[in-house]
Amino acid sequence: RGRLEEAEPHFRRALAGCEKTLGEDHPSTLTSVNNLAGLLQDRGRLEEAEPHFRRALAGYEKTLG
């Protein structure tokens, strides 16, 4: 679990960079959102992960159909 804790700031920084550079609905940004959600899920933070999973799904449906 310690390694996951160390990874979280990197996931968040990657997501922020994608949002700034590519926009909130770009598929790569949505992948970063989903990756962060998966990390949070793995850390047992399900309530925090769920909105990220929902955001990724809604974004994929909107941009990819």
Side-chain angles (χ1 to χ4, degrees):
R1 293 231 179 245
R3 302 297 301 200
L4 293 176
E5 184 176 330
E6 293 172 18
E8 185 176 341
H10 300 288
F11 278 63
R12 290 188 182 277
R13 191 166 58 244
L15 173 56
C18 285
E19 288 174 331
K20 182 178 179 180
T21 305
L22 303 172
E24 291 189 1
D25 291 328
H26 190 279
S28 293
T29 301
L30 298 171
T31 297
S32 289
V33 172
N34 193 68
N35 290 345
L36 175 59
L39 174 77
L40 294 169
Q41 180 182 34
D42 290 346
R43 295 193 61 205
R45 293 163 53 189
L46 303 179
E47 288 185 17
E48 191 176 347
E50 183 179 6
H52 294 291
F53 279 130
R54 290 185 183 279
R55 174 184 168 194
L57 178 60
Y60 285 135
E61 290 175 339
K62 178 181 174 185
T63 59
L64 302 177

